[in-house]
Amino acid sequence: EPEVTQTPSHQVTQMGQEVILRCVPISNHLYFYWYRQILGQKVEFLVSFYNNEISEKSEIFDDQFSVERPDGSNFTLKIRSTKLEDSAMYFCASSELAPDTQYFGPGTRLTVL
Amino acid sequence: QKEVEQNSGPLSVPEGAIASLNCTYSDRGSQSFFWYRQYSGKSPELIMSIYSNGDKEDGRFTAQLNKASQYVSLLIRDSQPSDSATYLCAVNARANFGNEKLTFGTGTRLTIIP
């Protein structure tokens, strides 16, 4: 069964460093999303992406964040200068259509020291 | 502010009994409703989706939607210890260009007691 994959599973970085989180959505899906979940809190929407452009972003998704689909398979989230409060699980999701079910990847745990 | 509300629990149910999970939402324009299961440290896993008023059954799971009351529920019949997890209610909030972001509740922690 096709699934969303994410790398790395755990990323540790120093405050102020740049990180890139990678995702490979399900191959025939057209809509891509990033969510994050701070430990003990709810899953929060960050950004949605369709047809090589951002469709919507939340207030969390400020100028420190960017997304890119550098090739036909990968979808990346970049945080330019990490802060302590960026420590969270970051989930990539994809869907074939919109509205439609979103399937989540296993997540990347980001720890900012 | 579009909100999705759930009782955080924990909800404890004996093995074999019915577990009932509830969710209310504030945005009357919401169109799609989802239940995800999340084990500790893992990602959300889709259990059910529902789009129309009424009941939708899939195996031991039944989702119920009442748009007039802005209420969606999940029933788990013949509860098993493996059903012990946090159950997340998610509601679409229509975004631009036809995309659909999901707004999640805080989740209800369910424990099935053997």
PDB file of all heavy atoms in Angstrom, chain A residues 76-93:
ATOM      1  N   THR A  76       9.688  19.495   0.452  1.00  0.00           N
ATOM      2  CA  THR A  76      10.537  19.833   1.592  1.00  0.00           C
ATOM      3  C   THR A  76       9.986  21.018   2.376  1.00  0.00           C
ATOM      4  O   THR A  76       9.313  21.896   1.829  1.00  0.00           O
ATOM      5  CB  THR A  76      11.972  20.166   1.141  1.00  0.00           C
ATOM      6  OG1 THR A  76      11.947  21.315   0.290  1.00  0.00           O
ATOM      7  CG2 THR A  76      12.599  18.994   0.413  1.00  0.00           C
ATOM      8  N   LEU A  77      10.310  21.021   3.662  1.00  0.00           N
ATOM      9  CA  LEU A  77      10.028  22.145   4.549  1.00  0.00           C
ATOM     10  C   LEU A  77      11.364  22.631   5.090  1.00  0.00           C
ATOM     11  O   LEU A  77      12.123  21.856   5.664  1.00  0.00           O
ATOM     12  CB  LEU A  77       9.122  21.715   5.714  1.00  0.00           C
ATOM     13  CG  LEU A  77       8.867  22.764   6.800  1.00  0.00           C
ATOM     14  CD1 LEU A  77       7.996  23.900   6.270  1.00  0.00           C
ATOM     15  CD2 LEU A  77       8.197  22.126   8.023  1.00  0.00           C
ATOM     16  N   LYS A  78      11.663  23.907   4.872  1.00  0.00           N
ATOM     17  CA  LYS A  78      12.904  24.491   5.368  1.00  0.00           C
ATOM     18  C   LYS A  78      12.587  25.482   6.471  1.00  0.00           C
ATOM     19  O   LYS A  78      11.673  26.316   6.332  1.00  0.00           O
ATOM     20  CB  LYS A  78      13.659  25.201   4.249  1.00  0.00           C
ATOM     21  CG  LYS A  78      14.988  25.811   4.708  1.00  0.00           C
ATOM     22  CD  LYS A  78      15.582  26.751   3.671  1.00  0.00           C
ATOM     23  CE  LYS A  78      16.053  26.056   2.443  1.00  0.00           C
ATOM     24  NZ  LYS A  78      16.775  26.970   1.518  1.00  0.00           N
ATOM     25  N   ILE A  79      13.339  25.393   7.549  1.00  0.00           N
ATOM     26  CA  ILE A  79      13.277  26.404   8.610  1.00  0.00           C
ATOM     27  C   ILE A  79      14.639  27.075   8.613  1.00  0.00           C
ATOM     28  O   ILE A  79      15.663  26.422   8.860  1.00  0.00           O
ATOM     29  CB  ILE A  79      12.965  25.793   9.989  1.00  0.00           C
ATOM     30  CG1 ILE A  79      11.733  24.890   9.920  1.00  0.00           C
ATOM     31  CG2 ILE A  79      12.729  26.910  11.010  1.00  0.00           C
ATOM     32  CD1 ILE A  79      11.423  24.151  11.218  1.00  0.00           C
ATOM     33  N   ARG A  80      14.681  28.371   8.328  1.00  0.00           N
ATOM     34  CA  ARG A  80      15.950  29.056   8.074  1.00  0.00           C
ATOM     35  C   ARG A  80      16.780  29.242   9.330  1.00  0.00           C
ATOM     36  O   ARG A  80      17.976  29.028   9.328  1.00  0.00           O
ATOM     37  CB  ARG A  80      15.693  30.424   7.439  1.00  0.00           C
ATOM     38  CG  ARG A  80      15.241  30.329   6.020  1.00  0.00           C
ATOM     39  CD  ARG A  80      15.180  31.686   5.324  1.00  0.00           C
ATOM     40  NE  ARG A  80      14.666  31.538   3.969  1.00  0.00           N
ATOM     41  CZ  ARG A  80      13.384  31.438   3.665  1.00  0.00           C
ATOM     42  NH1 ARG A  80      12.471  31.473   4.624  1.00  0.00           N
ATOM     43  NH2 ARG A  80      12.990  31.300   2.423  1.00  0.00           N
ATOM     44  N   SER A  81      16.181  29.668  10.392  1.00  0.00           N
ATOM     45  CA  SER A  81      16.900  29.958  11.625  1.00  0.00           C
ATOM     46  C   SER A  81      16.051  29.437  12.775  1.00  0.00           C
ATOM     47  O   SER A  81      15.129  30.106  13.243  1.00  0.00           O
ATOM     48  CB  SER A  81      17.132  31.466  11.756  1.00  0.00           C
ATOM     49  OG  SER A  81      17.811  31.765  12.969  1.00  0.00           O
ATOM     50  N   THR A  82      16.368  28.225  13.202  1.00  0.00           N
ATOM     51  CA  THR A  82      15.492  27.549  14.152  1.00  0.00           C
ATOM     52  C   THR A  82      15.507  28.224  15.524  1.00  0.00           C
ATOM     53  O   THR A  82      16.525  28.771  15.977  1.00  0.00           O
ATOM     54  CB  THR A  82      15.900  26.085  14.314  1.00  0.00           C
ATOM     55  OG1 THR A  82      17.319  26.016  14.553  1.00  0.00           O
ATOM     56  CG2 THR A  82      15.561  25.287  13.074  1.00  0.00           C
ATOM     57  N   LYS A  83      14.325  28.149  16.165  1.00  0.00           N
ATOM     58  CA  LYS A  83      14.170  28.662  17.526  1.00  0.00           C
ATOM     59  C   LYS A  83      13.837  27.477  18.439  1.00  0.00           C
ATOM     60  O   LYS A  83      13.413  26.422  17.973  1.00  0.00           O
ATOM     61  CB  LYS A  83      13.031  29.681  17.612  1.00  0.00           C
ATOM     62  CG  LYS A  83      13.097  30.805  16.600  1.00  0.00           C
ATOM     63  CD  LYS A  83      11.957  31.775  16.847  1.00  0.00           C
ATOM     64  CE  LYS A  83      11.835  32.811  15.763  1.00  0.00           C
ATOM     65  NZ  LYS A  83      11.331  32.266  14.507  1.00  0.00           N
ATOM     66  N   LEU A  84      14.010  27.685  19.726  1.00  0.00           N
ATOM     67  CA  LEU A  84      13.687  26.625  20.681  1.00  0.00           C
ATOM     68  C   LEU A  84      12.240  26.167  20.517  1.00  0.00           C
ATOM     69  O   LEU A  84      11.944  24.970  20.604  1.00  0.00           O
ATOM     70  CB  LEU A  84      13.907  27.104  22.116  1.00  0.00           C
ATOM     71  CG  LEU A  84      15.341  27.423  22.519  1.00  0.00           C
ATOM     72  CD1 LEU A  84      15.381  27.979  23.947  1.00  0.00           C
ATOM     73  CD2 LEU A  84      16.233  26.197  22.398  1.00  0.00           C
ATOM     74  N   GLU A  85      11.333  27.128  20.260  1.00  0.00           N
ATOM     75  CA  GLU A  85       9.907  26.798  20.162  1.00  0.00           C
ATOM     76  C   GLU A  85       9.546  26.080  18.868  1.00  0.00           C
ATOM     77  O   GLU A  85       8.391  25.694  18.684  1.00  0.00           O
ATOM     78  CB  GLU A  85       9.060  28.064  20.333  1.00  0.00           C
ATOM     79  CG  GLU A  85       9.401  29.196  19.395  1.00  0.00           C
ATOM     80  CD  GLU A  85      10.355  30.208  20.002  1.00  0.00           C
ATOM     81  OE1 GLU A  85      11.265  29.803  20.762  1.00  0.00           O
ATOM     82  OE2 GLU A  85      10.204  31.412  19.693  1.00  0.00           O
ATOM     83  N   ASP A  86      10.505  25.884  17.972  1.00  0.00           N
ATOM     84  CA  ASP A  86      10.248  25.083  16.773  1.00  0.00           C
ATOM     85  C   ASP A  86      10.353  23.588  17.063  1.00  0.00           C
ATOM     86  O   ASP A  86      10.038  22.768  16.195  1.00  0.00           O
ATOM     87  CB  ASP A  86      11.239  25.441  15.661  1.00  0.00           C
ATOM     88  CG  ASP A  86      11.042  26.854  15.124  1.00  0.00           C
ATOM     89  OD1 ASP A  86       9.882  27.337  15.119  1.00  0.00           O
ATOM     90  OD2 ASP A  86      12.053  27.470  14.733  1.00  0.00           O
ATOM     91  N   SER A  87      10.785  23.228  18.247  1.00  0.00           N
ATOM     92  CA  SER A  87      10.863  21.815  18.622  1.00  0.00           C
ATOM     93  C   SER A  87       9.468  21.212  18.602  1.00  0.00           C
ATOM     94  O   SER A  87       8.557  21.685  19.303  1.00  0.00           O
ATOM     95  CB  SER A  87      11.477  21.663  20.015  1.00  0.00           C
ATOM     96  OG  SER A  87      12.823  22.072  20.034  1.00  0.00           O
ATOM     97  N   ALA A  88       9.285  20.173  17.795  1.00  0.00           N
ATOM     98  CA  ALA A  88       7.963  19.572  17.593  1.00  0.00           C
ATOM     99  C   ALA A  88       8.114  18.370  16.677  1.00  0.00           C
ATOM    100  O   ALA A  88       9.181  18.117  16.109  1.00  0.00           O
ATOM    101  CB  ALA A  88       6.999  20.586  16.966  1.00  0.00           C
ATOM    102  N   MET A  89       7.010  17.631  16.522  1.00  0.00           N
ATOM    103  CA  MET A  89       6.896  16.634  15.447  1.00  0.00           C
ATOM    104  C   MET A  89       6.337  17.345  14.226  1.00  0.00           C
ATOM    105  O   MET A  89       5.344  18.076  14.331  1.00  0.00           O
ATOM    106  CB  MET A  89       5.958  15.509  15.855  1.00  0.00           C
ATOM    107  CG  MET A  89       6.571  14.487  16.777  1.00  0.00           C
ATOM    108  SD  MET A  89       7.750  13.421  15.959  1.00  0.00           S
ATOM    109  CE  MET A  89       6.656  12.311  15.079  1.00  0.00           C
ATOM    110  N   TYR A  90       6.958  17.140  13.101  1.00  0.00           N
ATOM    111  CA  TYR A  90       6.500  17.729  11.847  1.00  0.00           C
ATOM    112  C   TYR A  90       5.989  16.598  10.956  1.00  0.00           C
ATOM    113  O   TYR A  90       6.716  15.647  10.652  1.00  0.00           O
ATOM    114  CB  TYR A  90       7.627  18.504  11.167  1.00  0.00           C
ATOM    115  CG  TYR A  90       7.934  19.799  11.877  1.00  0.00           C
ATOM    116  CD1 TYR A  90       8.730  19.802  13.017  1.00  0.00           C
ATOM    117  CD2 TYR A  90       7.388  21.001  11.445  1.00  0.00           C
ATOM    118  CE1 TYR A  90       8.997  20.974  13.704  1.00  0.00           C
ATOM    119  CE2 TYR A  90       7.646  22.188  12.115  1.00  0.00           C
ATOM    120  CZ  TYR A  90       8.449  22.170  13.248  1.00  0.00           C
ATOM    121  OH  TYR A  90       8.697  23.342  13.932  1.00  0.00           O
ATOM    122  N   PHE A  91       4.730  16.730  10.559  1.00  0.00           N
ATOM    123  CA  PHE A  91       4.100  15.720   9.725  1.00  0.00           C
ATOM    124  C   PHE A  91       3.844  16.268   8.335  1.00  0.00           C
ATOM    125  O   PHE A  91       3.315  17.369   8.179  1.00  0.00           O
ATOM    126  CB  PHE A  91       2.751  15.284  10.325  1.00  0.00           C
ATOM    127  CG  PHE A  91       2.852  14.620  11.665  1.00  0.00           C
ATOM    128  CD1 PHE A  91       2.341  15.247  12.794  1.00  0.00           C
ATOM    129  CD2 PHE A  91       3.424  13.366  11.802  1.00  0.00           C
ATOM    130  CE1 PHE A  91       2.417  14.642  14.034  1.00  0.00           C
ATOM    131  CE2 PHE A  91       3.501  12.756  13.034  1.00  0.00           C
ATOM    132  CZ  PHE A  91       3.000  13.389  14.163  1.00  0.00           C
ATOM    133  N   CYS A  92       4.196  15.482   7.350  1.00  0.00           N
ATOM    134  CA  CYS A  92       3.829  15.754   5.967  1.00  0.00           C
ATOM    135  C   CYS A  92       2.580  14.936   5.661  1.00  0.00           C
ATOM    136  O   CYS A  92       2.413  13.826   6.183  1.00  0.00           O
ATOM    137  CB  CYS A  92       4.979  15.330   5.058  1.00  0.00           C
ATOM    138  SG  CYS A  92       4.648  15.437   3.299  1.00  0.00           S
ATOM    139  N   ALA A  93       1.691  15.480   4.861  1.00  0.00           N
ATOM    140  CA  ALA A  93       0.495  14.764   4.446  1.00  0.00           C
ATOM    141  C   ALA A  93       0.239  15.034   2.972  1.00  0.00           C
ATOM    142  O   ALA A  93       0.704  16.042   2.425  1.00  0.00           O
ATOM    143  CB  ALA A  93      -0.715  15.180   5.281  1.00  0.00           C
TER     144      ALA A  93
END
